[in-house]
Amino acid sequence: MNRFGNALEFIFQGIVVFMLMEMPKEDIRWMKRAVKIAAGGEGWVNPNPLVGAVLVRDGQVIGEGFHHHFGGPHAEVNAIMSASAPTEGSTLYLTLEPCIHQGKTPPCAPLIVEKGISRVVIAMTDPNPLVNGKGVDYMRNHGIGVETGIMENVVRRQNEVFIKYITTGLPFVILKTAMTLDGKIATVTNASRWITGETSRRYVHRMRHRYSAVMAGIDTVIYDDPMLNARLSIKDKRDPLKVIVDSKLRLPLTAKVITNEPQLTLVATTEQAPKEKIREIERTGAQVIVCPETGGRVDLAFLVATLGALGIDSVMIEGGSTLAFSALQAGLIDKVVSFVAPKLLGGERAPSPLGGLGIENMEDAVRITDWSVRKMKDDLMIEGWIQNRI
């Protein structure tokens, strides 16, 4: 080949490389938009996934949507129905693979084919065994160009609750703590209001809105009398199921978890509970589950599995150092969110986030991985995942 031919080949290769570099940038741009709007379903879609969709034609968004609530139209349907221009020849950006089966709503992959969409870019395939690649295969078999894996890690984090629940039937479990700089969750007299600032507390209420259940031990209920609901300024919010772990059923009938929306309260106890007290609590509208015992306490593994069977896809453990350590010891916790306030309390008897017997050897310490730190005005929020459980 002469020099002219070599030059043309070099130019052609450069164009190909340039195109390969440019295309992912556009894909990432629109997928970021899809991820952002998917978050609009937080708290409403459980146990379904958070999904966002962006429909693009000639470099312009012609439609977008997200999964608004459980049982409602899926993100791709909302995006297609909102289209301001013909969908033929457009590209659809989806954070999750479209379904191919009939559920509470019709399957989405056939609709994408019907609307003449020529290319679909998907962040991650759906781990649901009813889908898991079938939607991708269906679209490819009907002539649609499908690409997967764009921003997959981001979307897997966004849907960590869904992924665990749909693949194991068990809830995703978050341990939330709030402590002073010297690691105290209360004073020596058990006073704990307020360790963290308003910004951190508001964020916790958003977490309560997002996750299906909050769990607290009976000592936390007796000392703090929390409501465990989502007190947010937004018009629409969802209160979680309040799960109280109470082995001997010491729960006062005057506790706020009983007097405030008792139908959203579930009390986990054991055979140690007086039968009459069980009936009294049930008469308020709250539910009581008698669980097996482990070391004289509620078997938390049994309780968590029971919650999963009831359709609870996520649990935030929010109170009780003994409860927190027991859940950690049982290998139930997936993620830790810890708020640290720039305060000092001291006191040997002042409690810390983890009680119980503790771990004897440093090499046996439970490690947090992939962690990050975020400033919450006056506090710090440390978020991380239990090693080998991410």
Side-chain angles (χ1 to χ4, degrees):
M1 186 179 291
N2 58 30
R3 291 180 180 179
F4 182 73
N6 287 335
L8 284 178
E9 184 179 5
F10 178 79
I11 292 171
F12 176 75
Q13 289 175 348
I15 291 172
V16 170
V17 170
F18 177 77
M19 290 176 66
L20 289 173
M21 289 175 63
E22 286 301 305
M23 286 178 63
K25 287 183 180 179
E26 281 300 293
D27 288 347
I28 290 172
R29 174 189 177 189
W30 299 123
M31 191 61 76
K32 281 183 178 179
R33 176 64 186 165
V35 170
K36 182 177 180 181
I37 63 177
E42 287 185 351
W44 297 114
V45 301
N46 308 60
N48 280 356
L50 296 167
V51 185
V54 176
L55 198 57
V56 177
R57 181 173 178 174
D58 299 326
Q60 300 294 322
V61 175
I62 62 170
E64 62 183 27
F66 64 93
H67 185 31
H68 287 253
H69 58 85
F70 179 71
H74 290 183
E76 48 269 59
V77 174
N78 288 329
I80 291 170
M81 294 300 103
S82 72
S84 59
T87 58
E88 288 79 6
S90 62
T91 297
L92 178 63
Y93 292 87
L94 273 173
T95 58
L96 190 70
E97 176 185 13
C99 60
I100 192 60
H101 65 288
Q102 175 71 46
K104 290 186 176 293
T105 59
C108 298
L111 177 65
I112 293 170
V113 172
E114 176 190 328
K115 293 298 180 180
I117 294 167
S118 61
R119 180 172 177 253
V120 178
V121 180
I122 299 168
M124 65 172 285
T125 54
D126 192 336
N128 185 341
L130 294 174
V131 186
N132 200 9
K134 297 181 180 69
V136 169
D137 291 343
Y138 180 90
M139 292 185 294
R140 283 176 175 162
N141 291 338
H142 284 79
I144 295 178
V146 181
E147 296 177 42
T148 62
I150 302 296
M151 293 184 64
E152 180 176 356
N153 289 340
V154 173
V155 174
R156 291 186 72 84
R157 279 287 187 237
Q158 187 178 54
N159 275 307
E160 59 192 3
V161 167
F162 170 73
I163 291 170
K164 182 182 179 184
Y165 187 67
I166 200 66
T167 57
T168 68
L170 296 173
F172 188 87
V173 180
I174 306 96
L175 172 61
K176 170 260 165 182
T177 65
M179 62 184 177
T180 60
L181 197 58
D182 57 337
K184 305 298 184 181
I185 62 172
T187 69
V188 292
T189 61
N190 279 308
S192 60
R193 294 185 180 177
W194 295 104
I195 286 177
T196 55
E198 184 179 345
T199 301
S200 298
R201 298 199 302 272
R202 188 163 57 245
Y203 188 87
V204 171
H205 284 287
R206 293 214 308 270
M207 292 173 70
R208 289 179 183 174
H209 165 76
R210 177 176 181 181
Y211 299 123
S212 296
V214 294
M215 183 183 292
I218 185 58
D219 287 340
T220 296
V221 174
I222 290 173
Y223 284 118
D224 295 342
D225 196 19
M227 288 192 288
L228 299 179
N229 58 359
R231 298 188 292 282
L232 297 171
S233 57
I234 60 174
K235 181 179 179 181
D236 294 324
K237 66 178 179 65
R238 182 191 61 82
D239 286 328
L241 177 71
K242 299 168 286 187
V243 181
I244 311 303
V245 180
D246 184 2
S247 301
K248 298 180 180 179
L249 210 53
R250 296 182 289 138
L251 180 65
L253 295 178
T254 55
K256 289 177 183 176
V257 293
I258 292 294
T259 60
N260 181 58
E261 295 184 303
Q263 74 278 8
L264 289 179
T265 297
L266 183 151
V267 184
T269 190
T270 67
E271 291 291 347
Q272 301 176 60
K275 298 297 186 291
E276 180 55 34
K277 186 66 176 291
I278 292 176
R279 289 190 287 269
E280 288 177 353
I281 290 177
E282 289 178 334
R283 281 195 288 268
T284 69
Q287 184 179 355
V288 178
I289 294 180
V290 179
C291 303
E293 295 181 27
T294 298
R297 300 179 183 276
V298 168
D299 184 331
L300 294 180
F302 174 88
L303 173 58
V304 167
T306 300
L307 293 174
L310 292 174
I312 300 299
D313 67 351
S314 49
V315 178
M316 181 168 68
I317 298 176
E318 201 177 336
S321 60
T322 301
L323 172 65
F325 182 77
S326 296
L328 187 70
Q329 192 176 40
L332 300 175
I333 297 173
D334 298 287
K335 180 178 180 178
V336 176
V337 178
S338 184
F339 297 87
V340 182
K343 300 175 182 178
L344 300 171
L345 287 176
E348 292 181 359
R349 293 185 295 107
S352 65
L354 293 178
L357 295 175
I359 294 171
E360 293 183 358
N361 303 309
M362 185 59 70
E363 56 268 26
D364 296 328
V366 176
R367 295 187 179 276
I368 307 299
T369 188
D370 201 20
W371 56 272
S372 62
V373 180
R374 175 177 170 184
K375 197 171 188 301
M376 305 291 285
K377 195 174 181 180
D378 297 326
D379 309 317
L380 293 179
M381 183 182 80
I382 302 172
E383 180 181 54
W385 287 259
I386 301 295
Q387 193 171 48
N388 301 324
R389 291 186 67 82
I390 62 171

